[in-house]
Amino acid sequence: MRKKIVAGNWKMNNTLQEGITLAKDLNAILANETPNCDVVICTPFIHLASVASLVDSAKIGVGAQDCADKASGAYTGETSAAMVASTGAKYVILGHSERRSYYGETSETLKDKVKLALENKLTPIFCIGEVLEEREANKQNEVVKAQISEALFDLSPEDFSKLVLAYEPVWAIGTGKTASSEQAQEIHKYIRSVVADKFGKEVADNCSILYGGSCKASNAKELFANPDVDGGLIGGASLKAEDFKGVIDGFKA
Ligand code: PGA
């Protein structure tokens, strides 16, 4: 059975001290709970080691928001997948639309990042999603298929099955606009069919596909109730422990 996952994406928020407080708050809020999903927090690089050492790793996984497309060497300012893994982090978000649009990330660089993440036993949370004009032109399926095929179709089915996908319509990120439950289910089902066509039904059935884009406590339950929505990648609503807990509770009966 595929995993249900709620992953927080802190983006470029919180100083180290603020991040430690937030991680402690989340740890405390989940201490007497058994979430019905895996819980992950993806922090800035700076926070990883401290946060990974303070949270209950049986309950909260820690991840980075990116890693370098090179293994090591003279790449000033970069952080490698091996460095991320050495902090105790287990996940890495790759291909977030903000990286693609503001930092020129391409499918070619993403291929290398995915490979390095997997070599270092990190689980990539690989993001795909269309911009508003593409949705308005009804091109969303074409776009996500190209994003998946360009960066991930070189993987073996075994390697692909180590990945988590996150569908994030760019028009819904940080805008307060959420894809409707029907829109989310429709495209998640399509994404699963793309995976099935390439890697086979079993790999597709076991692939967790998260929804991201203004997902919060008030809409999580409805979104997560869809058969092909296996959880969420949560930006704004992951920055307060109670709000994030509200999203995690979207999986409560
Ligand atoms: P949001 O961000 O929840 O603030 O819309 C989601 C994301 O970009 O991962």
Side-chain angles (χ1 to χ4, degrees):
M1 257 310 274
R2 57 185 178 255
K3 283 185 175 166
K4 308 280 185 205
I5 303 170
V6 171
N9 175 8
W10 290 4
K11 307 194 179 183
M12 196 176 74
N13 291 295
N14 293 320
T15 61
L16 177 59
Q17 289 74 21
E18 289 163 349
I20 287 173
T21 302
L22 174 54
K24 279 186 180 159
D25 287 352
L26 184 66
N27 209 40
I29 232 171
L30 294 180
N32 299 314
E33 298 268 336
T34 310
N36 292 334
C37 60
D38 288 2
V39 175
V40 178
I41 45 179
C42 296
T43 79
F45 291 129
I46 288 289
H47 303 60
L48 287 174
S50 312
V51 168
S53 66
L54 77 83
V55 296
D56 174 358
S57 62
K59 231 170 239 182
I60 303 175
V62 176
Q65 301 167 16
D66 187 28
C67 69
D69 60 340
K70 306 284 192 301
S72 66
Y75 301 102
T76 302
E78 288 295 287
T79 300
S80 71
M83 292 173 188
V84 170
S86 72
T87 65
K90 304 280 184 224
Y91 296 81
V92 59
I93 296 173
L94 291 175
H96 191 280
S97 64
E98 287 151 17
R99 303 274 343 147
R100 292 178 190 260
S101 67
Y102 305 148
Y103 302 99
E105 194 137 271
T106 64
S107 295
E108 280 310 301
T109 47
L110 285 169
K111 257 190 205 175
D112 295 333
K113 292 185 181 199
V114 167
K115 194 169 155 269
L116 286 161
L118 291 174
E119 276 172 22
N120 286 284
K121 306 212 165 7
L122 295 170
T123 299
I125 301 175
F126 190 85
C127 303
I128 53 177
E130 80 287 354
V131 299
L132 184 60
E133 302 81 74
E134 291 162 340
R135 168 65 64 167
E136 284 173 346
N138 203 27
K139 287 195 169 142
Q140 63 274 12
N141 287 8
E142 229 174 274
V143 172
V144 296
K145 185 176 183 177
Q147 289 169 331
I148 297 171
S149 63
E150 286 167 16
L152 305 175
F153 272 16
D154 283 351
L155 295 173
S156 65
E158 195 197 342
D159 276 345
F160 183 89
S161 62
K162 295 172 186 156
L163 234 90
V164 171
L165 293 180
Y167 168 67
E168 300 204 300
V170 179
W171 46 271
I173 295 177
T175 58
K177 279 189 209 151
T178 318
S180 69
S181 181
E182 293 74 27
Q183 282 173 323
Q185 168 55 24
E186 193 181 16
I187 194 155
H188 279 230
K189 188 175 174 196
Y190 173 73
I191 292 164
R192 202 176 302 286
S193 77
V194 170
V195 174
D197 287 348
K198 173 69 185 170
F199 296 106
K201 188 173 181 310
E202 197 185 330
V203 172
D205 284 345
N206 286 320
C207 178
S208 301
I209 308 176
L210 314 184
Y211 169 80
S214 299
C215 181
K216 45 188 180 285
S218 58
N219 57 27
K221 205 180 186 86
E222 193 188 347
L223 285 160
F224 298 170
N226 288 298
D228 288 294
V229 178
D230 306 307
L233 182 56
I234 316 301
S238 71
L239 295 175
K240 285 202 183 109
E242 312 78 59
D243 293 350
F244 194 48
K245 167 75 165 40
V247 179
I248 294 165
D249 286 348
F251 275 119
K252 273 204 176 147

